[in-house]
Amino acid sequence: RCAEESRKNKTVIFEEKIKPIFEELIEYGYGLTALANALNNKGVFSRWGNPWTVDSVRKTLKRLSLKTL
């Protein structure tokens, strides 16, 4: 139970850091593929340290309550 809570806390901290980056790229009109490519090119990795995919971007947008234009 404690490990699960710690994982949730780390996810919240990660999402607080990543949200402004997502918001900025969305303002520029980036779609899912462009978001994944831009994040990977900037050296920003997913929560698990992996390169971004369209699916991981989609799931993160949903958790952040964000949508592409």
Side-chain angles (χ1 to χ4, degrees):
R1 185 171 211 148
C2 190
E4 183 181 329
E5 197 170 301
S6 176
R7 188 171 57 243
K8 284 182 183 177
N9 288 342
K10 287 180 181 178
T11 299
V12 168
I13 291 167
F14 172 78
E15 289 176 352
E16 286 174 357
K17 289 180 181 178
I18 201 86
K19 189 171 184 174
I21 299 169
F22 269 73
E23 289 172 332
E24 179 182 0
L25 294 173
I26 290 168
E27 273 186 40
Y28 286 116
Y30 284 41
L32 297 174
T33 302
L35 279 167
N37 290 336
L39 292 165
N40 291 330
N41 289 337
K42 287 177 176 266
V44 177
F45 294 101
S46 73
R47 162 77 175 86
W48 306 108
N50 299 318
W52 290 93
T53 63
V54 169
D55 193 49
S56 61
V57 168
R58 184 183 297 113
K59 289 176 181 174
T60 302
L61 285 171
K62 187 174 181 178
R63 280 197 311 274
L64 295 173
S65 300
L66 295 174
K67 292 183 179 178
T68 56
L69 301 175

